[in-house]
Amino acid sequence: MSIVVTGGAGFIGSCIVASLNARGVEDVIIVDNIATTSKWLNIRNKKYLEYVHKAAFLEKLAEYEGITAIIHMGAQSATTELDFDYLWRNNFDYTRTLWNYCADKQIPFLYASSAATYGDGEAGFDDAMDIEQLMPLNGYGYSKQMFDLWVRNQATKFPPQHVGLKFFNVYGPNEYFKGSMASMVFHGYHQIQDTGCIRLFKSCNPDYKDGEQLRDFVYVKDICNVIMWLLDHPSVSGLFNVGTGQAESFRSLAENTFRALGLEPNIEYIDMPDKLKAKYQYYTQASMKKLREAGYDRSFYTLQEGVFDYVQNYLSKDDRIY
C-alpha cells in the first residue's frame, strides 16, 4: 500500500513527502527527474520506498500493485518555457495517463493545476467560474488550462476522488534549485546577503505604484495542509484555488524579509525586462470560497508568519531542507 508523489524531489512535492512522513506514512514512491540537479537534497532526509525516473514510472505503471493514491505535482512549471510540445508532453499527456490509471484502478488522483490559467486576471480569480473563458498568458498556463478543460469536457471515466489545485504564488523551503523561478523571498534573502538591498521591478502600469504590484503569496506548508486534508476527505472532488485569499504587495513581502532578519528595509526599483512586460500579472487574489464550502477550515499563514518561518527556520540555517 503506497502513495505516489510525482515531482517528489521538487519544491512542493518534497514538502508533501515531508508532511506524509510526519503522519507516519513512509510507503511513498517518489517520481521525478533529478538528473544533474541538486534536488536529491530534498529527499535525503525523507522516508520512502523508491525513487523512480518520470519516464521509467510510466513504463512500470502497469506492474505496480497496492498504490492507494497519486499526488501529481510533477510538471514543467517554468512560465518562460517556449517549447510548447515539451510542455504538452509533460503537463497534458503525462497527466492524462495518470488520470486514466487512477480511474481504472479507482484510486484518488490529486493534481497541480495553476493560477497561471487565469491569465491577466481580467475575468477574476474565482474557481467557480466557467473555465472555458480563461485566457492564459503563457504556454505553461495554457497546458494546465487544457488539462482542466479535458477533465471537464472529455474525460469519460473518473477516479473516485479527483482534485485539481490552482496554486497561487507559492514560496517556502526546498525551492533553492528553481533558479529564476524561485520566489521573491528566496531571491530577496540572497540579495540582502550579497548587497544589503532587495531589487523589485518598477511598475509599467499607471494603476500600480512601484512595489505595489499585488500577489496572493501562499506558504508551501499551507499547500501541504490542504493536500493532507484532501487525503482525509476522499469524498471531496473538484477544481480548487489554493491561495490565502489575500493579495499582498511585493513591497510588503520585501519589508517582511528584512524584518525577519532584524534589518530595516532597503528597496531599490529596477526596470522590468521587455520580455516580461506583456505577460506580467499586476494582481492575483484567490477566491477561497469553494474550498471553504467543501469543508476546509484551517487558517492560512499570514505573509509575515510565512516569511518569518521561511527566513528564520530555513534560509538562515545551514540545513535548509523541510
Side-chain angles (χ1 to χ4, degrees):
M1 308 293 281
S2 55
I3 293 177
V4 173
V5 181
T6 73
F11 170 31
I12 297 175
S14 64
C15 291
I16 292 169
V17 175
S19 294
L20 290 170
N21 285 175
R23 292 180 151 212
V25 178
E26 298 181 1
D27 296 339
V28 179
I29 298 172
I30 292 175
V31 180
D32 212 306
N33 177 21
I34 296 177
T36 59
T37 72
S38 56
K39 288 194 291 183
W40 61 271
L41 291 168
N42 282 345
I43 61 175
R44 183 175 59 175
N45 64 344
K46 308 297 189 296
K47 301 292 185 181
Y48 59 96
L49 286 175
E50 64 175 316
Y51 161 75
V52 187
H53 187 275
K54 68 175 187 179
F57 180 68
L58 289 188
E59 295 171 359
K60 297 172 60 176
L61 192 54
E63 303 172 10
Y64 282 102
E65 297 291 341
I67 293 176
T68 57
I70 293 181
I71 303 171
H72 179 40
M73 299 291 111
Q76 170 48 256
S77 59
T79 58
T80 54
E81 176 59 59
L82 299 179
D83 187 340
F84 186 74
D85 292 330
Y86 179 69
L87 286 166
W88 192 263
R89 290 194 303 272
N90 279 271
N91 298 353
F92 185 89
D93 287 339
Y94 200 102
T95 309
R96 181 173 56 183
T97 298
L98 296 182
W99 171 286
N100 288 333
Y101 174 86
C102 290
D104 288 340
K105 298 293 186 181
Q106 284 296 285
I107 59 176
F109 182 58
L110 282 58
Y111 74 92
S113 179
S114 174
T117 59
Y118 288 114
D120 63 6
E122 184 177 346
F125 301 93
D126 188 347
D127 47 6
M129 73 168 66
D130 179 6
I131 61 174
E132 188 81 44
Q133 65 183 296
L134 300 181
M135 297 292 288
L137 295 176
N138 51 60
Y140 161 72
Y142 182 64
S143 67
K144 292 291 189 177
Q145 163 78 345
M146 290 308 294
F147 185 77
D148 293 341
L149 285 170
W150 179 81
V151 169
R152 192 194 73 169
N153 298 333
Q154 300 180 48
T156 57
K157 52 186 180 181
F158 292 82
Q161 182 185 29
H162 45 93
V163 180
L165 299 170
K166 291 179 178 258
F167 300 138
F168 278 65
N169 284 72
V170 188
Y171 66 97
N174 301 13
E175 64 168 334
Y176 59 88
F177 66 91
K178 291 176 67 67
S180 64
M181 300 306 297
S183 74
M184 193 60 231
V185 184
F186 177 87
H187 288 299
Y189 171 85
H190 288 286
Q191 288 175 16
I192 293 170
Q193 302 305 308
D194 293 341
T195 69
C197 77
I198 288 179
R199 296 180 296 277
L200 299 177
F201 289 141
K202 295 177 181 177
S203 173
C204 298
N205 185 327
D207 294 333
Y208 295 86
K209 296 179 181 179
D210 292 344
E212 294 301 318
Q213 303 96 318
L214 300 169
R215 292 284 191 280
D216 192 332
F217 299 106
V218 57
Y219 196 35
V220 70
K221 291 184 179 181
D222 280 322
I223 302 293
C224 296
N225 289 338
V226 169
I227 289 174
M228 295 305 107
W229 180 85
L230 286 165
L231 292 175
D232 292 338
H233 294 81
S235 63
V236 176
S237 291
L239 186 61
F240 298 98
N241 286 338
V242 185
T244 65
Q246 179 62 52
E248 299 277 1
S249 70
F250 277 98
R251 178 181 53 78
S252 180
L253 181 145
E255 289 174 348
N256 276 295
T257 304
F258 277 104
R259 289 171 183 146
L261 289 166
L263 301 172
E264 287 298 313
N266 178 19
I267 301 171
E268 175 188 349
Y269 296 101
I270 61 175
D271 291 334
M272 185 183 298
D274 289 339
K275 65 181 181 180
L276 293 182
K277 291 179 180 178
K279 300 179 179 180
Y280 190 81
Q281 289 178 306
Y282 280 84
Y283 171 83
T284 66
Q285 180 172 287
S287 169
M288 296 302 296
K289 181 180 179 182
K290 190 175 176 183
L291 186 64
R292 292 302 193 189
E293 289 180 344
Y296 188 75
D297 60 0
R298 185 164 180 166
S299 61
F300 287 80
Y301 282 80
T302 66
L303 183 62
Q304 178 178 330
E305 290 168 344
V307 170
F308 271 55
D309 183 59
Y310 185 20
V311 170
Q312 295 179 353
N313 296 321
Y314 298 96
L315 290 175
S316 296
K317 304 293 185 182
D318 290 334
D319 184 1
R320 303 178 174 192
I321 306 300
Y322 174 49

